[in-house]
Amino acid sequence: MIILNNLKAIILEIKLMYAEDTNKIILLISSFLLVFLIRSLIMMVDSIFVIDEYSIQRIIFIISTSLLIMGLEIGFTKLIFIILDNNQSKMSDVFNYFHLLGKYISGLFLFYLSISIGLLPGILFMYWKTKGELLSIFFNSINDPYFQELVSGYFSATDLLILIVIILVPGIYLSLRLCFWSYFIIDKEITALNAIKKSLYLSKDKEFEIISYLLIILFFNLLGLISIIGICFTIPLTYLFLCKYFRMLNRNLK
């Protein structure tokens, strides 16, 4: 019941925002399309390096463009928070928050480090069952058509079930608990470690609610994907929904 009430409340707030100032939604969608266009152009330029896949130039290109895209994603999300605060906003704001890249990258590192620690029992179980052989085989032969048959030689059905439980469950759980770290960095501009801690606190007892909204969002974007052009509207609205949900959880804690 709480899930539906919060969902209705957020959708109502988005409708009111559209009714009060259509330009905010237009700015949101236009900014998303700008970021999408830049990302698409980068992908087109990247195709130049296909012939020499492992060149130094391509490695430098991938690193620099990844930082650029990351900075634009930060700027786009920050723009949404500016809009939600009813502050003056413009499309160029997307380019104005690269100074948060350091904190964001630190947060990204801590996020994946936390996930890796959660997956450690499963990795150790794999190592113990195969005496360390399967991990090296996995990385060297992941595209091998006989890989599945090889795995079945090491693991029984029970072993595979145990692996799913001790890898998939902790991975999903930690991802849900830590899903707000980037919003804290972008919205509050706090340190990465504090963002991780606050995300754990904010998402406490909200795991089912969060995953329910993520499934709804997935369905919503699949509908947009059917019409192809519809995805240009559903994705920015998804960003808006998640930012409003983040703000709602913070407001409810106060």
Side-chain angles (χ1 to χ4, degrees):
M1 196 66 180
I2 295 177
I3 295 175
L4 289 176
N5 289 338
N6 287 342
L7 179 63
K8 289 178 182 178
I10 295 173
I11 292 175
L12 179 60
E13 287 181 17
I14 293 175
K15 285 182 177 179
L16 287 174
M17 188 173 71
Y18 175 77
E20 291 173 358
D21 191 350
T22 309
N23 290 329
K24 289 181 179 179
I25 301 297
I26 294 174
L27 174 62
L28 176 70
I29 295 173
S30 301
S31 300
F32 168 76
L33 291 175
L34 174 64
V35 174
F36 179 76
L37 176 62
I38 294 173
R39 185 191 291 267
S40 299
L41 289 174
I42 288 173
M43 291 176 63
M44 291 173 60
V45 174
D46 183 51
S47 63
I48 297 173
F49 298 99
V50 169
I51 297 175
D52 190 6
E53 188 173 356
Y54 300 103
S55 66
I56 296 298
Q57 292 91 334
R58 189 182 186 195
I59 294 172
I60 295 172
F61 177 82
I62 290 173
I63 293 173
S64 59
T65 53
S66 295
L67 292 174
L68 172 61
I69 292 172
M70 202 178 294
L72 293 177
E73 288 287 340
I74 292 170
F76 177 65
T77 306
K78 186 69 173 184
L79 174 65
I80 296 175
F81 286 122
I82 294 173
I83 292 173
L84 293 179
D85 290 331
N86 291 316
N87 292 329
Q88 186 176 0
S89 56
K90 51 190 181 300
M91 194 182 299
S92 60
D93 287 334
V94 170
F95 301 94
N96 293 339
Y97 292 92
F98 280 86
H99 64 277
L100 294 177
L101 260 177
K103 292 180 179 179
Y104 190 89
I105 292 172
S106 299
L108 199 62
F109 172 77
L110 291 177
F111 173 77
Y112 283 115
L113 178 62
S114 302
I115 299 295
S116 300
I117 292 173
L119 299 181
L120 192 58
I123 296 172
L124 291 175
F125 178 75
M126 289 178 60
Y127 187 87
W128 172 70
K129 286 292 293 185
T130 64
K131 296 180 176 61
E133 295 179 16
L134 190 61
L135 291 179
S136 60
I137 294 173
F138 178 81
F139 289 114
N140 294 328
S141 310
I142 192 168
N143 295 320
D144 194 315
Y146 300 104
F147 183 69
Q148 186 174 355
E149 182 179 345
L150 181 65
V151 171
S152 63
Y154 282 99
F155 297 98
S156 65
T158 304
D159 292 334
L160 290 175
L161 181 61
I162 292 172
L163 269 177
I164 291 173
V165 171
I166 61 180
I167 289 182
L168 195 61
V169 173
I172 293 175
Y173 176 76
L174 286 170
S175 297
L176 294 174
R177 292 299 306 277
L178 299 173
C179 66
F180 295 114
W181 69 267
S182 60
Y183 294 94
F184 276 110
I185 288 177
I186 296 171
D187 188 28
K188 309 298 183 183
E189 300 193 14
I190 61 177
T191 64
L193 184 58
N194 281 335
I196 292 291
K197 291 178 180 178
K198 284 183 175 292
S199 181
L200 286 170
Y201 180 67
L202 190 66
S203 60
K204 186 179 180 181
D205 300 324
K206 298 289 183 182
E207 297 87 354
F208 182 71
E209 183 175 307
I210 294 169
I211 201 168
S212 297
Y213 289 148
L214 291 177
L215 290 174
I216 292 171
I217 286 169
L218 176 62
F219 178 72
F220 179 61
N221 282 290
L222 285 175
L223 291 178
L225 189 60
I226 291 174
S227 60
I228 300 178
I229 196 171
I231 203 76
C232 297
F233 300 94
T234 58
I235 292 180
L237 288 176
T238 293
Y239 274 88
L240 178 60
F241 177 90
L242 291 172
C243 288
K244 288 193 75 68
Y245 178 52
F246 168 76
R247 283 285 184 83
M248 175 183 283
L249 290 179
N250 273 288
R251 188 168 64 241
N252 292 340
L253 284 178
K254 295 178 181 180

